[in-house]
Amino acid sequence: MELPVWFEITTFVGLTVLLLADLAIVARRPHEPSIKEASLWVGFYVSLALIFGVLMLAFTNGTYATEFYAGWLTEYSLSVDNLFVFVIIMARFQVPRKYQQEALMIGIIIALVLRGIFILIGAVVIERFVWVFYIFGVFLIYTAINLVKHRGEDEDYEENAFIRRMRKILPITKDYHGAKIRVSENGKKMWTPMIVVILALGTTDLIFALDSIPAIFGLTREPFIVFTANVFALMGLRQLYFLLGGLLKRLVYLSLGLAVILAFIGVKLILEALHENQLPFAGEREPIDSIPEIPIWLSLSIILGVLVVATVASLVKTRGQFAAPGPPDVDAETAKSVPTGGPEAAAAAEARIAEESDEDSARR
């Protein structure tokens, strides 16, 4: 069964209007959201994703709806992992809290555009070359191993090459000028540090997409589902940043849970490629029925189960720690010691933030 064209068009129009409205609200009144405001927005976006899955079930079939939920959960959990790196970026560039929301919003929109391009390319490649699943699968398993290996590492930070290049090319003011990215200073047009922050957020998410896009293609081959799952995962991430606060420091096993999920999807991709039995040098061959295909309902169950176990284990491990809601607060010196290059960097950031939380608790 194909997805109805009217359903796809209506969804794209609705999501575009929603994102533009969200951007207009942020641009009109830069501020640090209250706990109540952030909670309402996060609840709204999560409810919207759940309702969208129900609509997919009503207008298409159960398989598409299950694929959407599995993809959304995977992308959402990876997006939460993004927050560890976003915390580090905000602390390193010492972005005033009242302007962090706008920086996050613009960074997320850049990420959506870049992910959309990635998804289109991925869909075309997979449609023509199913054997690319071998590459995706091995890459996801490799990433999962690195997520475990990089936990607790304290590396010297080095900005990615794109950000370093921008620093050399662009004339940048010393101080922030509100949420503006372009100002006149002494009669000369200058960029503000906000442009570097936004580019850092956008390019960091692009690095995350190198793992998350192959992962969701392991759950569905429908580009529409891949894109909408990414949009719903990223929408509300800005408000979630201001809501998690101290709880972010307690999710000490999140990267381990994500490692299990990525490894599982990597194995699923390899099994699917083996089942279809197509190789670029071997011509058309018959599928191998003896190699099992992992059904989507089982994938959803495993993903949900791993996330629940990782969250509960994290909260049990850090029981007794006070997790005040609100924006995460990380020392600038700590931020300088943590890399910001993707899921592996997020694992290092997760461990370092948790370590700082333990040190704060000990001092109290």
Side-chain angles (χ1 to χ4, degrees):
M1 179 179 180
E2 292 188 358
L3 288 160
V5 175
W6 67 264
F7 183 76
E8 295 186 9
I9 293 173
T10 304
T11 299
F12 285 133
V13 171
L15 291 177
T16 300
V17 170
L18 188 60
L19 286 171
L20 290 176
D22 204 357
L23 181 60
I25 291 170
V26 173
R28 186 182 62 182
R29 189 172 68 91
H31 66 290
E32 179 183 328
S34 66
I35 302 305
K36 181 180 179 181
E37 179 185 346
S39 300
L40 288 173
W41 276 107
V42 170
F44 169 73
Y45 281 123
V46 169
S47 299
L48 206 60
L50 295 174
I51 292 170
F52 183 75
V54 173
L55 291 175
M56 288 201 72
L57 176 62
F59 293 114
T60 59
N61 56 44
T63 299
Y64 283 156
T66 307
E67 287 177 355
F68 170 76
Y69 282 131
W72 173 64
L73 273 174
T74 300
E75 295 296 325
Y76 200 70
S77 56
L78 286 168
S79 295
V80 172
D81 211 32
N82 271 12
L83 290 182
F84 286 100
V85 178
F86 289 174
V87 168
I88 298 301
I89 290 173
M90 294 296 187
R92 181 171 296 137
F93 292 108
Q94 298 180 336
V95 183
R97 284 188 174 179
K98 66 182 294 186
Y99 304 125
Q100 289 182 6
Q101 185 172 199
E102 188 165 345
L104 285 166
M105 187 66 197
I106 298 174
I108 287 170
I109 289 176
I110 293 172
L112 280 173
V113 173
L114 295 175
R115 286 190 182 212
I117 295 170
F118 263 43
I119 290 166
L120 287 174
I121 295 172
V124 171
V125 170
I126 291 169
E127 182 69 24
R128 297 188 61 185
F129 311 108
V130 178
W131 53 266
V132 79
F133 274 6
Y134 287 114
I135 300 172
F136 284 177
V138 171
F139 181 66
L140 290 179
I141 293 171
Y142 171 77
T143 300
I145 293 170
N146 277 340
L147 273 173
V148 177
K149 284 175 59 180
H150 286 274
R151 277 179 52 82
E153 284 191 4
D154 199 7
E155 305 176 34
D156 292 330
Y157 166 71
E158 183 178 352
E159 286 180 337
N160 67 53
F162 178 71
I163 297 298
R164 291 200 305 272
R165 184 64 178 166
M166 289 300 100
R167 280 188 179 277
K168 292 179 180 179
I169 293 174
L170 301 177
I172 299 176
T173 62
K174 181 179 179 182
D175 301 316
Y176 288 94
H177 291 257
K180 295 178 180 178
I181 61 174
R182 188 93 161 140
V183 295
S184 283
E185 196 171 86
N186 299 323
K188 183 181 178 182
K189 285 290 186 180
M190 301 278 287
W191 298 92
T192 72
M194 187 64 74
I195 187 64
V196 181
V197 174
I198 291 169
L199 291 173
L201 292 170
T203 54
T204 295
D205 187 86
L206 180 61
I207 297 172
F208 271 88
L210 294 175
D211 301 289
S212 67
I213 300 303
I216 192 171
F217 269 118
L219 300 169
T220 177
R221 294 194 193 181
E222 284 291 335
F224 174 78
I225 296 176
V226 174
F227 184 71
T228 51
N230 272 272
V231 173
F232 280 107
L234 290 177
M235 285 195 314
L237 189 63
R238 167 174 55 86
Q239 292 89 352
L240 188 63
Y241 172 89
F242 289 96
L243 181 63
L244 283 178
L247 184 60
L248 197 62
K249 298 182 179 183
R250 295 190 60 187
L251 298 176
V252 294
Y253 293 133
L254 178 62
S255 63
L256 288 179
L258 293 177
V260 173
I261 291 172
L262 290 177
F264 163 73
I265 297 175
V267 171
K268 182 179 185 297
L269 283 169
I270 292 172
L271 287 175
E272 194 165 335
L274 286 170
H275 175 82
E276 298 205 14
N277 195 28
Q278 302 298 321
L279 291 170
F281 52 81
E284 293 292 329
R285 302 200 297 181
E286 291 296 320
I288 303 177
D289 294 328
S290 59
I291 295 177
E293 289 185 287
I294 300 174
I296 189 62
W297 66 264
L298 180 58
S299 299
L300 177 59
S301 301
I302 290 173
I303 291 167
L304 186 58
V306 169
L307 290 176
V308 169
V309 170
T311 302
V312 172
S314 295
L315 297 179
V316 170
K317 170 70 175 178
T318 58
R319 64 184 179 276
Q321 290 185 15
F322 179 65
D329 190 14
V330 175
D331 182 79
E333 290 304 313
T334 299
K336 291 178 181 177
S337 68
V338 182
T340 58
E344 297 87 354
E350 174 190 296
R352 189 67 188 90
I353 290 172
E355 182 182 329
E356 183 182 271
S357 180
D358 291 341
E359 291 170 358
D360 289 342
S361 299
R363 282 195 291 270
R364 293 192 193 101

